[in-house]
């Protein structure tokens, strides 16, 4: 049992535990906080996989920006909790069965069909340098230039969409 | 375009198509620009067209004198289907050229006469616009008649045969909107229809004969048919008999023989030049020409000759008796024409083709003369009527009724003498043309078919009698109507052609005088009489160069006796106005029959027309309407259709189609939708679950099938 | 040394939990969070493969996914706000007006 493996198992347990916690917390705020923890643990995975840039992005964009946005909305709406009223009694057991099937299929695929046996060592020195970021950036701005530009348009549209959706329209047709 | 198949270049044979084209050109000119030419121009064009054909015919005679064997000139291919090959081919031989001469010669004279006649006729009938139309029709007739006599096959002959039938129809019904007295009526157009339909019966016989020829001989060309006819006659004599009988039906239709003669008296509804040209001189002789042309066929069947000769002889006598009882000047001549056509048909039926043709020619002269003179008389009466005080103009006046005439030799002297010549020629008085030709027929009859001779001799007696009666009634005695007293002589444009015809009527006998036999030698190149040669030779020994003195003497005495009797009855004590006919006093019922045409028209009407109308009515009312429309339509078609549609609608459509196509699928869809409706519960989580089901299923499928 | 399949197993577990969250939670915000969790699970697999195949493509895909996720969150939260305004609830079970 190497240090790597022990660290991996630790982080994996945290990630799974926080995911389950998010799933079962009655309060939406708790769920959001659990999710933040989960994102952070995934960011640690990224670091372990030698992707420090992605890890940083994960922390800033997801754990920072997105989850803050979530919490903000939760606060705004004041809808942390819902009354316990189940209208779909059969939904829950069925969901569990399906999830189990999905999990089995995933494991089956990974272990039997894909059969990936590659080992991942600790990130060495070269990976952490700026060279990796540079070569990644070169790819981004050369090979993936078009998707990158499309992404910018996507963000623009999302911005406009969010503004339009949240804008109040009063009964007289005027704008508030 | 015109090429001769024989080596006769340099002669006039190649001009022969112009006997048809000239009248066609004439009619086209009159048709297109005739309205600008005026009456004289139209008449001149038409007469010139006919005259050109006459000139071409004369040129053919000149060529034939050098090459008596004649020629065949092919103008165009007409019908080529399988074995059937019919070309538009002109046949030039002595027979066809003789006919061309008669048709174009008499035709031209009648054209000229018609210039004067129609000038007045259209004015008396108050429709001057029809003047041009008359000459167009007349030229059409000449063209068709020329095709008839010049065609080289029975089918070409048939084209002309139908063409003259059409022209005849158009001209009989020329005043189609009135009767002969000018009153509004369908009488003239009915007469035209009668002629046309009666001729259809004959044409059907002709067609049957032509089809039989094609069936048995493989062709309708004269030469090809005649080449095989002897062979066929030896093996299948019935073929020859039936062809000749079918041809006889055609002849009876066109040449007005029993039983199809009934149209010719009614055809007098046409203007008088038409009566003279078509219904006396030329078209009606087409049947005689046809038999003469078919001489090689007829001479092979004694039975056929017997039938034809008998039909002709009976017709000759029968029509002559009717002629003696008529009052209309043209009707007398019409029945006379039928009678004389009977003489010709009897002659050609006996195999005396030359005699028949001879009589055809002379008859064309004197009968045209008689008809045209009669036309002159009628117009004279019209003029006289026109000059009467006004009150008389509105009475119904028949200018052709001999009972209105009388004493006209003083008012119309030229016409009288011309009519006299024609009468003597027709009666067969020496030395007029009719004497020679009629005598030749009687001579041949006496030696071949004695019963025909007796019939014809009696007919000749009647001929002289009714002509004498006519002369006495029309020209002698006192005028029985004011119009006759005021009648005026016709202008020169009418009388000059008559004089030409009168000269021909006097001298026409010279064509075939005893001992000289010009016409016989001329026609011998074409018509070779094979039968009765022994008899003819035997007879020639007892006769003076083809003139038997006894036959000639008997017929002359009979004619003179008939004229004398007619003088006793009509000349000695002229008829007074309103007096009944002396014959009627003497014979009563017999004369009543003669007067009423032996009720043949009524009999035909009763036997054929009424039965046909009954049948048509039966077919229309009972079969078509009651049975077909009412019963069959309602009970079978409509009810059957309704039943069928009910079956389709209720059983097939509602029972099967609806159940399978719509009811079951609808039920299934309804059931399914009610069940599946539960899935659409509106809960987004439920939809997500469905999506996951799909994901799991697809992923499972992919994993199980992954290699 | 950690086998790459371990990472993938974690990724599958997280994805399954995310899917489960979408299915069993009624709170629209939590459902949304579960979707984010699923995206993260996918990202983790991307990076793991990127590491295995020694290529940056996987990481770049993560980059794009993050962008899309950000846009999605912006629009999605706007939608939730709009829904809350009209329904005064963010219980997805209340939104059943499409019931057939």
């Amino acid at each position: 049992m190497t240090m790597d493996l022990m660290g991996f198992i630790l982080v994996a347990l945290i990630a799974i535990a926080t995911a389950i916690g998010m799933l079962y917390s009655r309060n939406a705020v708790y769920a959001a906080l659990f999710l933040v923890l989960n994102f952070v643990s995934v960011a640690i995975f990224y670091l372990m996989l030698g992707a420090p840039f992605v890890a940083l992005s994960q922390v800033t964009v997801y754990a920072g920006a997105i989850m803050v946005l979530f919490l903000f909305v939760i606060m705004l709406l004041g809808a942390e909790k819902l009354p316990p009223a189940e209208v779909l009694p059969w939904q829950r057991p069925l969901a569990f069965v399906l999830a189990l099937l999905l999990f089995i299929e995933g494991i089956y695929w990974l272990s039997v069909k894909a059969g990936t046996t590659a080992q991942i060592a600790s990130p060495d020195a070269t990976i952490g340098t700026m060279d990796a970021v540079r070569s990644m950036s070169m790819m981004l701005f050369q090979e993936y230039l078009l998707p990158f530009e499309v992404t910018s348009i996507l963000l623009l549209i999302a911005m406009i969409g969010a503004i339009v959706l949240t804008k109040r329209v009063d009964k007289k047709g005027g704008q508030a | 375009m015109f090429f001769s198949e024989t080596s006769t270049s340099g002669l006039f044979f190649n001009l022969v198509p112009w006997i048809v084209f000239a009248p066609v050109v004439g009619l086209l000119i009159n048709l297109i620009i005739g309205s600008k030419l005026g009456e004289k121009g139209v008449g001149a064009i038409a007469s010139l067209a006919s005259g050109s054909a006459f000139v071409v015919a004369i040129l053919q005679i000149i060529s034939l004198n050098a090459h008596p064997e004649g020629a065949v000139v092919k103008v165009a291919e007409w019908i080529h289907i399988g074995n059937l090959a019919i070309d538009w081919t002109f046949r030039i031989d002595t027979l066809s050229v003789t006919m061309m001469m008669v048709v174009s010669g008499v035709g031209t004279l009648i054209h000229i006469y018609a210039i004067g006649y129609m000038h007045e006729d259209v004015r008396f009938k108050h429709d001057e616009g029809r003047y041009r139309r008359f000459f167009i029709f007349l030229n059409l007739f000449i063209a068709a008649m020329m095709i008839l006599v010049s065609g080289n096959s029975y089918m070409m002959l048939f084209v002309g045969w139908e063409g003259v039938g059409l022209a005849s129809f158009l001209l009989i019904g020329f005043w189609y909107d009135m009767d002969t007295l000018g009153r509004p009526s369908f009488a003239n157009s009915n007469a035209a229809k009668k002629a046309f339909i009666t001729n259809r019966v004959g044409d059907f016989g002709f067609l049957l004969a032509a089809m039989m020829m094609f069936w048995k001989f493989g062709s309708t060309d004269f030469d090809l048919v005649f080449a095989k006819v002897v062979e066929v006659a030896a093996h299948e004599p019935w073929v020859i008999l039936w062809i000749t009988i079918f041809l006889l039906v055609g002849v009876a239709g066109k040449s007005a023989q029993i039983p199809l003669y009934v149209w010719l008296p009614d055809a007098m509804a046409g203007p008088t030049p038409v009566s003279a040209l078509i219904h006396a001189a030329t078209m009606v002789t087409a049947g005689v020409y046809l038999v003469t042309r078919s001489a090689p066929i007829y001479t092979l069947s004694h039975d056929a000759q017997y039938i034809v000769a008998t039909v002709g002889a009976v017709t000759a006598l029968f029509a002559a008796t009717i002629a003696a009882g008529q009052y209309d000047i043209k009707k007398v001549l019409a029945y006379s024409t039928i009678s004389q056509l009977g003489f010709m048909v009897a002659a050609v039926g006996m195999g005396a083709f030359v005699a028949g043709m001879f009589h055809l020619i002379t008859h064309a002269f004197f009968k045209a003369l008689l008809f045209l003179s009669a036309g002159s008389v009628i117009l004279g009466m019209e003029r006289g009527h026109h000059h009467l005080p006004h009150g008389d103009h509105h009475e119904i006046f028949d200018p052709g009724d001999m009972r209105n005439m009388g004493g006209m030799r003083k008012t119309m002297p030229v016409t009288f003498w011309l009519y006299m010549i024609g009468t003597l020629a027709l009666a067969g008085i020496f030395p007029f043309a009719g004497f020679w030709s009629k005598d030749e027929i009687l001579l041949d009859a006496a030696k071949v078919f004695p019963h025909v001779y007796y019939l014809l001799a009696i007919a000749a007696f009647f001929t002289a009698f009714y002509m004498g009666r006519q002369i006495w009634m029309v020209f002698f005695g006192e005028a029985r109507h004011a119009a006759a007293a005021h009648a005026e002589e016709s202008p020169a444009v009418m009388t000059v052609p008559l004089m030409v015809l009168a000269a021909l009527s006097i001298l026409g006998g010279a064509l075939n005088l005893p001992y000289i036999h010009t016409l016989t030698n001329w026609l011998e190149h074409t018509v070779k009489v094979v039968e009765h040669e022994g008899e003819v030779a035997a007879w020639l020994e007892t006769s003076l160069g083809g003139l038997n003195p006894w036959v000639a003497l008997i017929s002359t005495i009979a004619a003179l006796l008939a004229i004398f009797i007619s003088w006793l009855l009509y000349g000695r004590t002229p008829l007074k106005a309103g007096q009944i006919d002396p014959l009627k006093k003497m014979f009563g019922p017999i004369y009543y029959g003669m007067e009423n045409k032996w009720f043949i028209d009524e009999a035909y009407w009763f036997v054929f027309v009424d039965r046909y109308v009954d049948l048509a009515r039966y077919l229309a009312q009972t079969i078509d309407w009651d049975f077909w429309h009412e019963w069959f339509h309602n009970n079978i078609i409509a009810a059957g259709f309704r039943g069928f549609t009910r079956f389709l609608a209720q059983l097939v459509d509602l029972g099967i189609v609806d159940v399978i196509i719509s009811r079951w699928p609808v039920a299934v869809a309804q059931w399914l939708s009610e069940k599946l409706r539960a899935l659409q519960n509106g809960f987004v989580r439920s939809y997500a679950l469905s999506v996951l089901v799909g994901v799991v299923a697809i992923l499972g499928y992919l994993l199980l099938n992954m290699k | 040394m950690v086998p790459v399949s371990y990472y993938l197993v974690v990724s599958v577990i997280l994805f399954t939990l995310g899917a489960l969250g979408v299915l069993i939670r009624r709170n629209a915000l939590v459902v949304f969070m579960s979707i984010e969790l699923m995206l993260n699970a996918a990202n983790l697999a991307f990076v793991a493969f990127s590491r295995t195949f020694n290529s940056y493509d996987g990481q770049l895909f993560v980059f794009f996914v993050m962008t899309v996720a950000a846009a999605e969150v912006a629009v999605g939260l706007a939608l939730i706000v709009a829904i809350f305004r009209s329904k005064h609830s963010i219980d997805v079970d209340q939104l059943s007006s499409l019931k057939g």
Side-chain angles (χ1 to χ4, degrees):
Chain A
M1 179 78 74
T2 59
M3 281 297 291
D4 286 345
L5 194 55
M6 284 182 64
F8 170 80
I9 291 170
L10 182 66
V11 177
L13 285 174
I14 292 170
I16 293 166
T18 50
I20 293 171
M22 180 211 75
L23 210 57
Y24 279 94
S25 43
R26 288 234 163 263
N27 195 316
V29 179
Y30 293 161
L33 291 174
F34 272 124
L35 194 60
V36 171
L37 273 178
N38 181 276
F39 286 166
V40 171
S41 59
V42 172
I44 296 169
F45 277 139
Y46 290 160
L47 280 173
M48 290 166 76
L49 287 165
F53 184 73
V54 176
L56 281 176
S57 303
Q58 170 87 357
V59 172
T60 32
V61 175
Y62 266 121
I66 292 178
M67 291 321 294
V68 168
L69 195 58
F70 264 102
L71 286 171
F72 189 72
V73 170
I74 292 166
M75 303 300 178
L76 180 73
L77 300 180
E80 306 95 75
K81 282 186 172 178
L82 288 176
E86 188 60 78
V87 290
L88 293 170
W90 43 269
Q91 171 90 7
R92 187 175 283 259
L94 201 58
F96 276 112
V97 171
L98 282 173
L100 188 63
L101 280 173
L102 187 65
F103 178 70
I104 290 168
E105 281 175 347
I107 297 301
Y108 173 78
W109 173 56
L110 287 173
S111 58
V112 179
K113 294 292 179 177
T116 316
T117 54
Q119 300 283 310
I120 293 170
S122 301
D124 52 21
T126 55
I127 288 174
T129 60
M130 286 304 285
D131 286 344
V133 179
R134 179 180 293 114
S135 47
M136 209 171 93
S137 304
M138 294 297 280
M139 273 181 79
L140 185 63
F141 289 108
Q142 287 175 348
E143 203 176 331
Y144 290 93
L145 182 61
L146 182 65
F148 181 79
E149 298 293 345
V150 172
T151 308
S152 67
I153 294 174
L154 178 72
L155 286 172
L156 178 66
I157 291 170
M159 199 160 70
I160 297 169
I163 293 168
V164 169
L165 281 169
T166 50
K167 202 165 62 176
R168 275 181 192 276
V169 180
D170 66 7
K171 298 244 168 74
K172 286 169 190 162
Q175 295 181 344
Chain B
M1 179 182 173
F2 312 124
F3 57 93
S4 169
E5 288 180 351
T6 55
S7 57
T8 52
S9 53
L11 292 172
F12 300 116
F13 289 145
N14 290 340
L15 286 175
V16 74
W18 284 100
I19 63 166
V20 173
F21 292 158
V24 170
V25 168
L27 91 84
L28 286 178
I29 291 173
N30 277 340
L31 194 63
I32 295 163
I33 59 167
S35 56
K36 298 187 181 66
L37 292 176
E39 289 192 356
K40 292 223 164 54
V42 168
I45 292 283
S47 307
L48 268 179
S50 180
S52 310
F54 182 64
V55 171
V56 173
I58 289 174
L59 294 176
Q60 301 308 313
I61 288 192
I62 294 169
S63 298
L64 273 178
N65 274 326
H67 291 267
E69 71 279 359
V72 170
V73 179
K74 182 174 161 186
V75 174
E77 288 187 357
W78 183 29
I79 301 174
H80 280 229
I81 307 168
N83 292 331
L84 183 68
I86 303 169
D87 295 327
W88 190 15
T89 314
F90 286 91
R91 182 187 182 87
I92 307 153
D93 57 22
T94 50
L95 178 61
S96 65
V97 170
T98 305
M99 289 300 292
M100 289 177 206
M101 286 292 295
V102 172
V103 173
S104 58
V106 176
T108 305
L109 289 173
I110 292 172
H111 271 77
I112 296 166
Y113 171 91
I115 296 172
Y117 183 90
M118 292 310 290
H119 174 78
E120 292 186 54
D121 197 31
V122 292
R123 280 162 181 77
F124 286 129
K125 302 278 204 307
H126 307 293
D127 190 352
E128 290 160 37
R130 293 197 205 180
Y131 188 86
R132 176 169 66 115
R133 187 192 301 172
F134 181 81
F135 283 93
I136 291 170
F137 287 166
L138 222 51
N139 271 355
L140 174 68
F141 167 77
I142 295 286
M145 192 71 201
M146 285 303 184
I147 293 175
L148 195 162
V149 299
S150 65
N152 190 35
S153 66
Y154 280 98
M155 287 320 290
M156 273 321 292
L157 198 157
F158 190 65
V159 172
W161 192 269
E162 292 298 309
V164 294
L166 169 67
S168 165
F169 168 77
L170 293 172
L171 285 164
I172 291 170
F174 186 72
W175 299 108
Y176 53 84
D177 47 1
M178 54 186 76
D179 64 7
T180 45
L181 304 184
R183 294 172 297 193
S185 163
F186 287 125
N188 287 359
S189 57
N190 281 340
K193 279 194 285 183
K194 186 175 178 182
F196 202 68
I197 292 166
T198 313
N199 266 301
R200 287 282 76 64
V201 180
D203 296 344
F204 184 62
F206 188 112
L207 265 186
L208 284 178
M211 288 171 188
M212 220 166 153
M213 284 177 202
F214 179 69
W215 175 35
K216 284 295 171 188
F217 306 133
S219 173
T220 60
D221 275 18
F222 293 138
D223 290 329
L224 298 172
V225 169
F226 300 154
K228 288 187 185 168
V229 77
V230 177
E231 186 192 344
V232 172
H235 295 105
E236 297 171 293
W238 60 272
V239 172
I240 302 297
L241 183 64
W242 280 106
I243 287 177
T244 52
I245 285 174
F246 286 142
L247 280 179
L248 177 64
V249 174
V251 169
K254 198 59 91 188
S255 287
Q257 297 298 297
I258 288 174
L260 298 178
Y261 71 90
V262 289
W263 65 272
L264 187 56
D266 290 37
M268 295 305 127
T272 304
V274 173
S275 307
L277 176 62
I278 301 184
H279 306 119
T282 56
M283 185 191 85
V284 287
T285 61
V288 181
Y289 167 76
L290 177 64
V291 177
T292 313
R293 178 56 82 191
S294 311
I297 305 178
Y298 275 94
T299 47
L300 286 173
S301 172
H302 187 265
D303 292 342
Q305 290 194 310
Y306 187 87
I307 293 167
V308 174
T310 307
V311 166
V314 170
T315 307
L317 178 58
F318 186 77
T321 60
I322 297 176
Q326 296 300 307
Y327 295 114
D328 189 289
I329 187 168
K330 280 176 75 181
K331 282 274 165 67
V332 173
L333 294 177
Y335 281 104
S336 166
T337 302
I338 297 171
S339 172
Q340 296 302 306
L341 287 167
F343 271 82
M344 297 176 218
V345 170
V348 293
M350 293 180 299
F353 301 109
V354 174
M357 288 302 295
F358 185 27
H359 196 57
L360 188 158
I361 297 164
T362 57
H363 175 256
F365 295 154
F366 59 68
K367 189 50 69 62
L369 171 62
L370 282 170
F371 261 115
L372 297 182
S373 303
S376 177
V377 168
I378 291 169
L379 275 191
M381 292 286 284
E382 289 266 22
R383 291 183 205 110
H385 187 240
H386 203 66
H387 290 156
L388 288 180
H390 278 289
D392 291 352
H393 277 244
H394 298 292
E395 64 169 327
I396 296 163
F397 168 68
D398 186 351
D401 194 331
M402 295 193 292
R403 284 170 297 192
N404 290 336
M405 300 175 184
M408 293 183 74
R409 74 176 187 280
K410 291 164 199 145
T411 47
M412 302 184 77
V414 180
T415 304
F416 164 65
W417 284 112
L418 294 168
Y419 209 97
M420 212 46 209
I421 292 166
T423 301
L424 293 175
L426 174 57
I429 306 297
F430 180 87
F432 292 92
F435 168 77
W436 304 103
S437 56
K438 194 182 287 181
D439 199 61
E440 205 167 314
I441 293 173
L442 290 172
L443 174 67
D444 281 324
K447 65 197 177 195
V448 181
F449 293 126
H451 70 285
V452 171
Y453 169 74
Y454 296 129
L455 288 170
L456 291 183
I458 300 169
F461 172 81
F462 271 98
T463 305
F465 175 76
Y466 65 67
M467 286 317 292
R469 172 176 178 263
Q470 199 172 34
I471 290 286
W472 303 126
M473 282 180 82
V474 174
F475 293 103
F476 289 88
E478 295 302 314
R480 286 179 290 276
H481 190 281
H486 292 84
E488 283 178 20
E489 186 55 84
S490 297
V493 70
M494 289 168 69
T495 50
V496 169
L498 293 184
M499 291 169 191
V500 176
L501 283 171
L504 288 168
S505 300
I506 297 168
L507 303 173
L511 276 175
N512 206 20
L513 288 175
Y515 297 107
I516 305 173
H517 295 299
T518 324
L519 188 66
T520 310
N521 296 334
W522 171 256
L523 287 177
E524 214 165 43
H525 299 296
T526 307
V527 186
K528 293 179 179 61
V529 182
V530 288
E531 229 182 326
H532 312 306
E533 231 167 326
E535 298 171 60
V536 171
W539 263 91
L540 281 175
E541 288 169 17
T542 61
S543 60
L544 304 169
L547 176 76
N548 185 297
W550 291 109
V551 171
L553 196 63
I554 289 169
S555 54
T556 307
I557 290 170
L560 291 172
L561 181 66
I563 292 173
F564 176 68
I565 293 172
S566 70
W567 176 78
L568 283 178
L569 290 174
Y570 299 97
R572 192 178 49 176
T573 51
L575 223 56
K576 299 282 182 294
Q579 190 186 356
I580 57 164
D581 198 287
L583 269 186
K584 197 169 197 167
K585 278 180 274 183
M586 292 166 65
F587 294 108
I590 296 176
Y591 184 80
Y592 189 64
M594 288 155 67
E595 191 180 7
N596 289 289
K597 308 166 274 180
W598 299 116
F599 301 100
I600 295 295
D601 272 334
E602 286 75 7
Y604 277 15
W605 201 264
F606 179 74
V607 175
F608 295 111
V609 180
D610 279 351
R611 297 294 82 80
Y612 181 79
V613 169
D614 288 348
L615 179 67
R617 194 166 290 142
Y618 173 75
L619 287 174
Q621 181 63 40
T622 307
I623 300 293
D624 188 59
W625 190 251
D626 290 348
F627 172 73
W628 194 249
H629 282 238
E630 298 284 327
W631 186 81
F632 192 80
H633 254 105
N634 291 353
N635 291 2
I636 304 294
I637 298 180
F641 189 72
R642 268 200 296 275
F644 186 60
T645 48
R646 200 171 292 127
F647 166 75
L648 283 180
Q650 295 190 343
L651 284 173
V652 177
D653 190 52
L654 290 177
I656 298 171
V657 177
D658 269 14
V659 169
I660 291 177
I661 302 296
S662 55
R663 199 167 301 166
W664 289 356
V666 163
V668 170
Q670 212 164 13
W671 180 81
L672 269 180
S673 55
E674 270 182 23
K675 299 294 164 194
L676 291 174
R677 182 170 161 273
L679 290 178
Q680 294 287 335
N681 53 11
F683 294 116
V684 71
R685 292 194 297 145
S686 172
Y687 299 153
L689 189 73
S690 309
V691 173
L692 192 61
V693 169
V695 170
V696 169
I698 292 170
L699 195 58
Y701 174 81
L702 288 175
L703 286 173
L704 288 176
N705 286 287
M706 192 183 275
K707 292 288 177 291
Chain C
M1 301 286 284
V2 180
V4 71
S5 52
Y6 285 20
Y7 286 99
L8 294 175
V9 169
V10 171
S11 169
V12 168
I13 292 169
L14 289 180
F15 187 88
T16 311
L17 287 171
L20 199 59
V22 171
L23 294 181
I24 63 176
R25 293 305 299 260
R26 291 181 290 135
N27 192 319
L29 285 162
V30 179
V31 169
F32 216 173
M33 290 179 205
S34 301
I35 291 171
E36 295 301 322
L37 182 60
M38 287 160 78
L39 284 169
N40 257 282
N43 282 353
L44 182 59
F46 268 127
V47 176
F49 281 121
S50 168
R51 176 79 172 123
T52 309
F53 298 114
N54 218 357
S55 154
Y56 291 116
D57 294 284
Q59 294 187 23
L60 285 176
F61 262 94
V62 171
F63 195 66
F64 286 123
V65 170
M66 278 182 189
T67 326
V68 171
E72 179 207 342
V73 165
V75 176
L77 287 177
L79 279 170
I80 289 171
V81 170
I83 289 167
F84 185 79
R85 274 187 196 150
S86 61
K87 293 274 180 183
H88 301 287
S89 168
I90 52 168
D91 186 350
V92 291
D93 285 356
Q94 302 286 321
L95 310 173
S96 61
S97 51
L98 285 176
K99 182 171 165 51

